[in-house]
Amino acid sequence: MKTINQPSVGATPTGNSAVCYLNQYRCPYCQTEWEDVWDCACNDRCPDCNKEIEPYESALIESEAAETGSPAENSASANVTAVGMNRLFVVSYEIDYVHRVSVGITADSPEAAQQLAEQAFNDATIWDDTAAMPLLSDEYLESGDESLVWECVAVARLPEPDHSVRQLKKEQSAMRVCQGLIEAYQQGETNGGSIDWEDLDQLIPLALQALGKPALGIQS
C-alpha cells in the first residue's frame, strides 16, 4: 500500500481543517491500493491509471494535527474512529427555462405597444399589474432543448436552505393562513356567528413565518 496526495473529486485536502478523514482506496482496474487524508469521505483518483475510485473504508480523524494546522502526515498517530460509508451529498440539476411575461396595452400600433412594454420593462414596472397595463401572465417554461445537467458534490454538512426555499416556505405558510381564516369563519357561522379564538391563535405562527418574523408568545 502506498500513500499519495492526489486531487480528489468534490473535496479539498485537509490543510488546516478541523475535520478530516483517512480514506482507504483499492483500484479494481489495476489493483493499486493507497490511502489519503481529505476533509470528507470522498472519491479519489488512482495514482497509476487515474480512474475515479470510491473509498472502501473511511475513518474520522481526531488529531492535534488538524487543530494546529500541522501536516496531515501526522495522522498515523491520530485517534481514528471508524465511520460508515454513508456520506452527505448535495445533488443539483439545471435546466434551461424561458421566462414569458404578457401584459395588456392600449396603443395605436404594435410598434407603439411594444415600445410602451419595453419602457415599462426598463423601469421595472411591467409587473405592477395596473389598470393601464394589466399583468396577463408571468410564467417559466422549459426551453425544450433537453439541456438537463446534473451535479453531485460530497459535503461534510448540508448547507442552509437558500432564499428560494425560504420564499417557497413563506408562500406555503401564507396559503395555509388564508385557508385557516376561511375555515375559522365558516366554523363561526356554524356556531351562530362566534369565532373561537383558538382557531385564530393557531394561525399566528404561520402568519409570522410567512412574514419572516420570529414567533411570539401567545397568551390564551
Side-chain angles (χ1 to χ4, degrees):
M1 179 181 293
K2 55 184 176 181
T3 302
I4 63 168
N5 289 287
Q6 291 279 356
S8 179
V9 178
T12 57
T14 55
N16 296 332
S17 175
V19 178
C20 51
Y21 292 80
L22 178 63
N23 299 331
Q24 307 284 342
Y25 303 90
R26 181 182 299 113
C27 179
Y29 302 96
C30 63
Q31 307 306 316
T32 300
E33 296 186 6
W34 73 99
E35 64 182 20
D36 206 353
V37 178
W38 295 96
D39 60 358
C40 61
C42 59
N43 293 0
D44 204 350
R45 292 196 177 276
C46 176
D48 290 339
C49 66
N50 201 38
K51 297 289 187 181
E52 182 180 336
I53 307 299
E54 287 189 355
Y56 67 85
E57 184 176 333
S58 184
L60 177 63
I61 298 175
E62 299 174 356
S63 66
E64 295 181 358
E67 296 176 358
T68 60
S70 56
E73 285 75 10
N74 294 335
S75 61
S77 60
N79 177 24
V80 179
T81 304
V83 296
M85 289 304 298
N86 288 336
R87 294 173 287 162
L88 286 175
F89 294 91
V90 174
V91 182
S92 311
Y93 76 87
E94 295 181 0
I95 190 169
D96 290 339
Y97 278 83
V98 175
H99 186 193
R100 181 179 179 83
V101 176
S102 300
V103 293
I105 293 178
T106 301
D108 57 9
S109 67
E111 293 78 13
Q114 181 173 332
Q115 184 177 5
L116 290 173
E118 290 180 358
Q119 185 62 47
F121 176 84
N122 294 334
D123 295 339
T125 60
I126 196 170
W127 297 275
D128 288 354
D129 193 21
T130 63
M133 190 178 295
L135 184 64
L136 304 178
S137 69
D138 185 356
E139 56 185 346
Y140 289 85
L141 306 172
E142 293 185 13
S143 61
D145 58 0
E146 299 182 357
S147 58
L148 185 63
V149 178
W150 287 92
E151 179 186 56
C152 184
V153 179
V155 295
R157 62 182 61 86
L158 293 178
E160 292 295 325
D162 68 6
H163 69 281
S164 63
V165 177
R166 295 194 296 270
Q167 181 63 30
L168 177 61
K169 291 183 177 180
K170 288 180 180 180
E171 294 173 357
Q172 292 173 341
S173 296
M175 183 62 67
R176 291 169 63 186
V177 170
C178 293
Q179 294 173 343
L181 284 174
I182 293 175
E183 293 173 358
Y185 274 88
Q186 289 175 340
Q187 186 64 36
E189 291 180 353
T190 303
N191 296 336
S194 176
I195 298 177
D196 192 339
W197 276 106
E198 292 184 358
D199 293 338
L200 300 180
D201 288 345
Q202 64 183 355
L203 301 177
I204 296 299
L206 293 174
L208 292 172
Q209 183 178 359
L211 296 174
K213 295 185 177 181
L216 299 177
I218 304 298
Q219 296 181 353
S220 57

